[in-house]
Amino acid sequence: MPFHFSSTCLLPVLWSSLHDHFPDTFCPQCLRRSATETLFCHFYRPKERLAPRPGPRLTFPSVEETLKPFMLSMKKLREISSRFTKEMDNGLDKKKHQKAAVKMLPTFVRAKPDGSERGDFLALDLGGTNFRVLHIRVEDKKILKVDSQICAIPQEIMQGTGHELFDHLAKCLGEFLESQKLKEQKLPLGFTFSFPCEQTEIDKSILIRWTKGFSCSGVEGKDVVQLLKDAIHKRGDYDISSVVMVNDTVATMMSCNQQEHEDPDCEIGMIIGTGTNACYMEDMKNVKRCEETEGQMCINTEWGGFGDKSPLSDPGALDDILTDFDKEVDETSINPGVHIFEKMISGMYLGEIVRLVLVELTNNNLLFEGKVTVRLDTKHTFETKHMSFIEGARVDQEVIDTIQDLLKVRCSEDDARVVSLVCDTISSRSAHLCAAALAAIANRIRLNKAKDNLKTAVGVDGTVYKKHPNFRHKLEDAVAFLAPECDLKFYISEDGSGKGAAMVTAVAQRQPHSRLMNGNGEEDR
Ligand code: BGC
């Protein structure tokens, strides 16, 4: 990783020797708790990192008190990384899997593209507030997007019935085929469905639970591929040949393998957007729920569930670091008690955590002259995109204007700095938690290969990673610290969900299919 010495400030050095004597103190300049973290924050910065916004760093002791529980030392992050490793083992285990918080779902994606794939495919991408339909052509080791269309998923459909949702998807697909004059062709279809699903075969996928604000009735526990096929057949005006189901992490990893970069192997796919998750290539011999022992299979970790209480983890693995703000975000969400890790990390929740902290600070007379406005007190008025803007702003006035406009408060310069500090603290925690889980995955791949050092690539997508001004640097720096034996290269995926789904479909056409065994070692149907 291209580190260089970037600070001339001796404060962290002094502080770090002080820290040996007073381990619970914070660095006054950046509020980091551990000595390593402070050194890491002040001295080692990747070259491309943005310069911090100019302006004095004030210390706000009472504000720091509120923010302290969000600051995780490197020691704590190492501990969290080890807990995640244990949860991964539980999820892969044939007997413990049912009760595991981190589901480690087999995806039946066993091979990466070998360059021989070709043909025309349809891809559907459902995972957020939009649904995308794509026509993809695979040829000469390239994935080309012929055309695509976006359909909005209105709130009433996200929270309506399953039939309404799948009818809506089938309608959007029909309109797209019509516009492309493809209705008479029966093309194979890759379906990127970005929710936790238990796949028993590549084209059979049972929804475990909804996440990210979806709650359509009658879908959990059902095969989503069948629901899609039923909706298409009900219309009767077009048909598709085969359907292959993939998670967005898997599609991202697969499309990264087809990008033109110097690393041939992309063994990890990661999403940090509205939701968060990662997949990686695991040795078949460790996937105890499948009968084959040779080769590899991509595992969808569903790391968003890390920290959920389960019979194997009670108390939950993250209970000791959950703040009152996290608990409130969870309790007021549409799926309380589940996807705890996701609620500490992803774009759907970060802004709301910040808002709750701002309300608390205002109630304690530490912000906005102690006046909680209706806007400030309204759920979801402060979004993750506003954090990105505030953290990337070059001058205080931009921050002041944004906050005043958004929250209808009177915002002083000091207020603006406090808000920036809150945003930085919450996004840093998010990046560091992701790093802890990613370090565990990278180390697992390294140990599987029995190597002292691993060099591999991660395909990444998601608005938080892509749009936040320094999230990726915080994440990448922390992984380098937590997994020093692993040299990870990160590749941002463009259109990865759609292109990857087409690629998985293309690869599946030349692959024998595996199945999942039930607890008795028999094939599950
Ligand atoms: C889902 C995952 C998905 C992730 C990113 C989570 O809420 O459970 O399946 O990969 O969001 O979209």
Side-chain angles (χ1 to χ4, degrees):
M1 182 155 278
F3 288 126
H4 72 130
F5 193 76
S6 75
S7 172
T8 48
C9 170
L10 282 178
L11 194 60
V13 177
L14 294 175
W15 179 83
S16 97
S17 56
L18 251 181
H19 183 271
D20 293 340
H21 303 285
F22 305 102
D24 259 344
T25 48
F26 284 79
C27 166
Q29 219 192 18
C30 68
L31 301 180
R32 310 287 139 174
R33 200 199 306 253
S34 80
T36 331
E37 219 184 353
T38 306
L39 285 171
F40 153 69
C41 167
H42 288 267
F43 286 88
Y44 299 101
R45 290 170 187 276
K47 278 188 192 125
E48 68 273 25
R49 175 180 280 179
L50 288 173
R53 188 161 49 85
R57 272 185 181 271
L58 301 184
T59 52
F60 302 96
S62 320
V63 175
E64 289 163 20
E65 206 48 42
T66 308
L67 294 180
K68 244 190 216 175
F70 289 102
M71 295 169 191
L72 304 172
S73 66
M74 280 292 152
K75 182 166 169 264
K76 184 51 99 185
L77 290 174
R78 277 205 187 90
E79 214 180 297
I80 289 166
S81 198
S82 318
R83 292 182 207 166
F84 186 72
T85 300
K86 194 170 150 229
E87 296 282 351
M88 283 201 284
D89 288 335
N90 288 343
L92 285 173
D93 190 279
K94 198 158 52 179
K95 298 224 169 71
K96 294 186 185 159
H97 165 79
Q98 278 297 338
K99 298 175 182 160
V102 178
K103 288 289 174 212
M104 305 295 283
L105 302 165
T107 63
F108 299 90
V109 172
R110 304 209 34 201
K112 287 176 274 179
D114 68 3
S116 67
E117 298 79 10
R118 60 195 63 250
D120 276 26
F121 301 88
L122 293 171
L124 304 185
D125 179 13
L126 179 72
T129 44
N130 286 325
F131 167 64
R132 291 214 316 151
V133 191
L134 303 96
H135 176 196
I136 303 282
R137 184 158 300 147
V138 180
E139 61 186 20
D140 301 331
K141 299 189 180 174
K142 289 206 179 69
I143 318 179
L144 309 166
K145 184 172 76 179
V146 181
D147 213 333
S148 69
Q149 186 177 301
I150 294 185
C151 283
I153 307 277
Q155 183 87 358
E156 59 277 15
I157 290 197
M158 282 169 80
Q159 294 172 8
T161 69
H163 287 304
E164 281 159 1
L165 173 70
F166 284 93
D167 287 350
H168 184 67
L169 304 189
K171 176 170 163 270
C172 295
L173 175 57
E175 285 167 4
F176 179 70
L177 293 175
E178 179 80 53
S179 71
Q180 299 292 303
K181 310 223 174 326
L182 287 173
K183 260 190 162 167
E184 302 313 316
Q185 291 191 36
K186 264 177 94 174
L187 293 177
L189 183 145
F191 185 15
T192 307
F193 186 75
S194 309
F195 301 92
C197 285
E198 179 72 275
Q199 267 180 270
T200 49
E201 296 169 47
I202 195 126
D203 59 351
K204 192 160 191 237
S205 203
I206 314 293
L207 177 66
I208 299 175
R209 70 166 77 115
W210 286 115
T211 57
K212 298 180 286 196
F214 276 76
S215 62
C216 304
S217 58
V219 187
E220 287 177 352
K222 299 261 173 63
D223 176 9
V224 289
V225 174
Q226 196 55 51
L227 291 175
L228 177 69
K229 283 182 179 165
D230 290 349
I232 292 173
H233 291 154
K234 201 162 77 185
R235 293 174 58 90
D237 58 338
Y238 66 90
D239 206 355
I240 42 173
S241 64
S242 55
V243 180
V244 161
M245 244 284 309
V246 280
N247 185 262
D248 51 356
T249 54
V250 183
T252 299
M253 183 189 83
M254 289 297 263
S255 75
C256 172
N257 271 307
Q258 242 7 50
Q259 277 173 21
E260 284 164 16
H261 50 65
E262 74 266 29
D263 296 281
D265 268 348
C266 187
E267 296 173 286
I268 302 176
M270 180 172 75
I271 307 282
I272 312 169
T274 309
T276 184
N277 190 15
C279 70
Y280 72 104
M281 293 306 288
E282 176 60 271
D283 288 356
M284 275 312 278
K285 63 176 186 316
N286 298 326
V287 188
K288 301 281 191 308
R289 303 173 60 221
C290 289
E291 55 187 355
E292 292 97 324
T293 51
E294 295 299 309
Q296 290 198 306
M297 183 182 277
C298 177
I299 296 293
N300 167 14
T301 65
E302 284 297 336
W303 76 16
F306 183 34
D308 295 4
K309 282 196 181 46
S310 81
L312 296 176
S313 0
D314 194 2
L318 300 173
D319 276 13
D320 59 334
I321 59 162
L322 280 181
T323 64
D324 289 343
F325 308 102
D326 296 309
K327 289 178 193 158
E328 184 165 349
V329 164
D330 176 43
E331 279 156 19
T332 56
S333 69
I334 62 167
N335 54 352
V338 296
H339 260 47
I340 298 295
F341 194 56
E342 174 159 288
K343 288 172 184 162
M344 300 169 90
I345 288 176
S346 78
M348 177 136 189
Y349 307 97
L350 289 184
E352 181 62 4
I353 302 177
V354 170
R355 187 190 68 82
L356 291 174
V357 174
L358 299 185
V359 171
E360 166 96 355
L361 293 174
T362 312
N363 278 329
N364 293 342
N365 237 335
L366 296 165
L367 256 187
F368 310 141
E369 301 166 337
K371 292 186 190 122
V372 177
T373 57
V374 176
R375 286 283 295 166
L376 175 58
D377 210 24
T378 306
K379 236 173 126 184
H380 302 306
T381 42
F382 192 92
E383 295 176 45
T384 304
K385 66 177 184 208
H386 300 126
M387 288 172 79
S388 296
F389 179 80
I390 289 171
E391 288 184 66
R394 296 278 163 181
V395 288
D396 286 342
Q397 195 56 46
E398 283 179 12
V399 179
I400 293 174
D401 293 345
T402 308
I403 296 170
Q404 296 199 145
D405 196 42
L406 197 67
L407 303 174
K408 309 290 174 228
V409 289
R410 277 180 60 147
C411 179
S412 66
E413 273 194 12
D414 274 2
D415 287 341
R417 288 187 195 146
V418 170
V419 175
S420 303
L421 188 64
V422 175
C423 292
D424 176 62
T425 307
I426 308 297
S427 64
S428 299
R429 184 187 68 158
S430 162
H432 292 169
L433 285 173
C434 273
L438 185 59
I441 293 179
N443 264 320
R444 188 174 182 98
I445 299 177
R446 180 178 68 79
L447 294 173
N448 281 345
K449 296 186 181 193
K451 283 189 170 173
D452 290 338
N453 292 293
L454 172 79
K455 205 169 170 340
T456 194
V458 187
V460 200
D461 208 344
T463 42
V464 175
Y465 186 89
K466 283 181 16 186
K467 302 237 167 96
H468 187 282
N470 40 42
F471 186 94
R472 78 178 74 158
H473 303 301
K474 292 176 186 176
L475 167 76
E476 291 165 21
D477 290 358
V479 179
F481 250 79
L482 292 165
E485 306 85 0
C486 302
D487 177 4
L488 302 185
K489 280 240 162 52
F490 295 78
Y491 292 99
I492 290 189
S493 120
E494 296 304 338
D495 273 331
S497 279
K499 288 181 174 172
M503 185 46 84
V504 175
T505 314
V507 173
Q509 293 188 331
R510 61 169 173 80
Q511 277 283 304
H513 292 182
S514 316
R515 286 181 207 289
L516 204 63
M517 290 189 299
N518 63 24
N520 307 320
E522 296 153 358
E523 276 183 359
D524 250 350
R525 291 257 158 201

